[in-house]
Amino acid sequence: MNLKNLFIVLSCAAAVTACKSNKKEKSDVTGWNYNDKNMGGYQVSREKEQRTGPGLVFVQGGTFTMGATEEDVMGDWNNIPTRKTVNSFYIDRTEVANIHYREYLYWVNTVFDGDEYKDVRTGALPDTLVWRSELAYNEPLVEYYFRHPSYNYYPVVGVTWKQAHDFCLWRSDRVNEKALYDKGFINKTALKNLQGQGQENFNTKAYLLGLTTPTPGNQVRSKKNPLKNPNGTPRTQVTFEDGILLPNYRLPTEAEWEYAAMGLVGQNPNPSKKEGKRGEELITNKQVFAWTQNVNGLRDSRRGQWQGTFLANFKRGNGDNMGVAGGLNDRAVYTAPVTSFFPNSFGIYNMSGNVSEWTGDVYRPLSPTDNDDVSPYRGNRYQNVYKNKDGEFEKDSLGHVKTTYVTDEESKNRRNYQKGNVINYLDGDSMITGVAYGTMDVQENLKTGRGYGVSTLISDKSRVIKGGSWNDRPYWLSPGTRRFLEEDQGSSTVGFRCAMDRLGSPEGNGRKTGINYPTRRQNTRKR
């Protein structure tokens, strides 16, 4: 073949490739082209999987037995074993450490530096006085644990549930703000000039609603910008449909936390590889601790070098928090670094021991039997985005979009819920309180829900904590055990980690939802 003929062949091949690449994707229901300014300009992003946010690991969902895995030595019977299903989600590989929370405080102090924001700055501070004890010398921890660099990667403690919740919201906005910056949709000066931004700081919801308009980056108006307006010009505003922004970080639900701690995926074929036999549903209902791989609680290598070593940070017995000098058992008298000990089958550290952790759920003793089978959770109080009398959205003084609680009047005609606040739904405590306390009419008590925190230590502020801590005996290290703490209190034994919703396939990136069978050619012969 001479050079002239070769050139002709290559030109034809390039033309065919160009035609294929310019072929418009079209609607299955109307036949109209997507992303075509000559057919209405409806823009559709290419299908893509959700990326994993910073610090997170993917947890493939499934069914498990939630609750007690050994004798109820405390006599609470608040963790009745029940079969539940958890949807796939993401969770932090480690507990949130001091250095991470100090990063949060730096941002708060920089952005909200005015006198009018003094309460915001002080309200974000962890309570270091949680280390004090009437009969112990813990003052060095009060002074140094949170600030000294030797404790950088130790879990933050003294953080209330509300503070942990706010940290998750802050983290969501910082991650999404950087995602826009990396894609060139925000000018680089936006990440540089934080001082005194106050109400104008970046908030994901406010950005999506058009209440926050950061200065666009240089690449936004270039031809390389993949986002287009209906007329085909480059688009500066990102929408959630573009697949660039992530869902919010949040506290894990109790069921998610317990499921992630169990790490039952280690008992099935590796989901990152091609599966062997489909339908092989191995599950160990009596697994006791987060690190175990089998019912005996053993997790050992072939050579046995882990045999006899501690796999969590906990209290072995009275007065024994770390063993004898020269052979310390867990090498931690109080907390330990967040990557200490062996991770479980999901790759998550310290789900048993080190610090107990906040979950999103409001505590009720019988929640395990009351909650739904799929994605169980107690704590719903529904909200809508607030609109003023002109039908416009508004931001509050911190830059968050204003919301309003759903009223009972708005809910009464729905089939799936009849009240806006369903924290107390089916818990039965109102009836018990009304009868036992005798100070109110029973029916009135059912309406108001009064009595919480009066005739019982449990209230709507009681949040579930899980996992056991450096100062707990082995019983509390089992993921099935559960306790509670008021959401506005902190403790030297309680920290937290964040979670995130999984969007799309529950099997993870590169997998498809549902089982796709090969199609058969239809027999079209005339009979």
Side-chain angles (χ1 to χ4, degrees):
M1 183 182 295
N2 57 35
L3 292 177
K4 184 178 179 180
N5 291 337
L6 178 62
F7 178 77
I8 294 174
V9 170
L10 293 176
S11 299
C12 292
V16 171
T17 303
C19 290
K20 287 183 178 179
S21 63
N22 291 329
K23 185 178 180 181
K24 300 290 185 180
E25 184 181 359
K26 63 175 58 178
S27 168
D28 294 332
V29 295
T30 65
W32 283 45
N33 290 343
Y34 295 148
N35 307 321
D36 188 345
K37 63 181 181 180
N38 297 318
M39 283 197 176
Y42 176 51
Q43 299 295 311
V44 177
S45 296
R46 179 177 56 84
E47 186 176 353
K48 63 183 71 172
E49 297 282 5
Q50 179 183 353
R51 62 187 174 88
T52 303
L56 300 175
V57 297
F58 174 68
V59 177
Q60 189 179 109
T63 183
F64 78 118
T65 300
M66 183 177 177
T69 54
E70 58 180 338
E71 185 181 356
D72 182 28
V73 297
M74 302 303 294
D76 285 341
W77 199 231
N78 64 354
N79 55 345
I80 302 168
T82 50
R83 181 60 66 89
K84 301 292 184 183
T85 293
V86 173
N87 191 19
S88 298
F89 65 103
Y90 297 88
I91 196 169
D92 271 339
R93 186 173 66 101
T94 69
E95 298 142 336
V96 173
N98 287 322
I99 192 172
H100 305 138
Y101 202 83
R102 293 205 305 265
E103 179 184 357
Y104 166 56
L105 291 183
Y106 171 81
W107 184 90
V108 170
N109 285 305
T110 302
V111 172
F112 299 107
D113 63 344
D115 292 340
E116 68 273 25
Y117 293 117
K118 181 180 179 181
D119 290 342
V120 176
R121 298 192 298 271
T122 57
L125 292 171
D127 181 11
T128 60
L129 295 179
V130 295
W131 286 109
R132 280 185 173 168
S133 177
E134 297 95 329
L135 297 174
Y137 173 61
N138 289 344
E139 295 310 295
L141 295 168
V142 174
E143 295 290 330
Y144 308 125
Y145 178 81
F146 179 62
R147 299 288 182 182
H148 196 275
S150 63
Y151 292 116
N152 273 355
Y153 290 96
Y154 285 60
V156 65
V157 297
V159 174
T160 68
W161 184 94
K162 290 182 177 179
Q163 289 174 324
H165 172 77
D166 289 344
F167 176 93
C168 293
L169 296 179
W170 164 82
R171 185 177 175 184
S172 305
D173 292 336
R174 301 292 70 72
V175 168
N176 281 332
E177 185 178 25
K178 187 175 184 298
L180 294 176
Y181 168 79
D182 291 341
K183 294 289 186 180
F185 290 98
I186 290 183
N187 193 282
K188 60 182 180 181
T189 58
L191 303 188
K192 185 178 180 180
N193 301 326
L194 299 176
Q195 189 74 31
Q197 283 187 353
Q199 187 184 29
E200 299 307 313
N201 74 87
F202 178 86
N203 173 262
T204 304
K205 191 78 171 179
Y207 173 81
L208 292 174
L209 292 175
L211 299 178
T212 298
T213 54
T215 305
N218 295 330
Q219 299 179 9
V220 169
R221 301 191 185 280
S222 71
K223 294 182 179 179
K224 295 182 180 180
N225 182 356
L227 308 184
K228 298 292 188 294
N229 291 311
N231 61 5
T233 60
R235 174 157 52 92
T236 60
Q237 181 76 11
V238 174
T239 66
F240 199 74
E241 290 89 338
D242 296 322
I244 295 173
L245 301 175
L246 289 175
N248 281 340
Y249 285 81
R250 56 175 174 79
L251 291 174
T253 67
E254 179 183 3
E256 287 175 337
W257 193 101
E258 187 172 331
Y259 179 84
M262 287 294 189
L264 296 174
V265 67
Q267 299 172 20
N268 282 297
N270 190 340
S272 65
K273 300 178 181 178
K274 187 176 180 180
E275 292 183 6
K277 298 179 181 179
R278 177 170 291 281
E280 194 174 12
E281 298 182 354
L282 304 179
I283 182 169
T284 303
N285 293 334
K286 292 298 181 180
Q287 181 170 313
V288 178
F289 300 115
W291 61 78
T292 51
Q293 287 276 48
N294 55 55
V295 295
N296 299 317
L298 301 177
R299 182 164 194 163
D300 204 359
S301 67
R302 293 180 180 179
R303 298 184 180 181
Q305 65 260 36
W306 299 339
Q307 193 69 31
T309 62
F310 270 43
L311 298 178
N313 177 18
F314 64 98
K315 182 177 183 178
R316 184 161 59 176
N318 286 343
D320 184 2
N321 279 65
M322 65 174 176
V324 180
L328 300 181
N329 49 41
D330 61 19
R331 295 179 178 171
V333 62
Y334 299 103
T335 59
V338 294
T339 53
S340 300
F341 307 102
F342 204 87
N344 71 1
S345 297
F346 283 121
I348 310 170
Y349 288 85
N350 288 301
M351 295 297 270
S352 289
N354 212 25
V355 289
S356 298
E357 299 176 15
W358 288 113
T359 68
D361 288 61
V362 170
Y363 176 84
R364 292 291 184 269
L366 295 181
S367 282
T369 57
D370 293 335
N371 285 345
D372 286 359
D373 287 347
V374 180
S375 299
Y377 171 72
R378 181 183 288 280
N380 285 319
R381 190 176 182 190
Y382 301 118
Q383 299 180 47
N384 290 329
V385 178
Y386 169 79
K387 289 184 179 180
N388 60 25
K389 61 182 181 180
D390 297 322
E392 299 174 339
F393 303 111
E394 293 184 356
K395 293 192 297 184
D396 62 21
S397 60
L398 301 182
H400 300 149
V401 176
K402 288 184 178 180
T403 58
T404 180
Y405 286 112
V406 173
T407 65
D408 293 348
E409 182 66 23
E410 294 173 303
S411 310
K412 67 180 183 180
N413 293 325
R414 298 196 60 86
R415 296 289 297 265
N416 50 335
Y417 61 93
Q418 275 74 50
K419 290 182 176 293
N421 183 353
V422 289
I423 288 176
N424 299 322
Y425 182 65
L426 289 184
D427 67 358
D429 286 349
S430 295
M431 174 69 78
I432 296 172
T433 303
V435 173
Y437 222 59
T439 57
M440 313 178 62
D441 178 79
V442 173
Q443 294 302 320
E444 178 64 21
N445 212 18
L446 284 171
K447 294 179 184 177
T448 62
R450 294 180 187 175
Y452 286 110
V454 177
S455 61
T456 173
L457 295 175
I458 302 169
S459 73
D460 289 351
K461 291 184 176 182
S462 301
R463 299 283 177 169
V464 178
I465 56 174
K466 302 278 282 186
S469 74
W470 57 269
N471 204 32
D472 282 320
R473 299 293 186 89
Y475 171 80
W476 294 109
L477 272 58
S478 176
T481 58
R482 57 199 302 259
R483 288 176 288 185
F484 65 91
L485 185 65
E486 302 307 291
E487 63 182 28
D488 51 6
Q489 295 180 0
S491 170
S492 63
T493 61
V494 177
F496 71 102
R497 72 180 77 217
C498 304
M500 180 185 287
D501 297 327
R502 163 68 186 179
L503 310 180
S505 168
E507 289 198 82
N509 291 348
R511 304 278 184 159
K512 293 184 177 180
T513 302
I515 301 176
N516 298 315
Y517 298 101
T519 56
R520 295 181 179 180
R521 177 175 294 182
Q522 189 175 10
N523 188 351
T524 58
R525 290 186 303 171
K526 294 183 178 180
R527 296 188 179 183

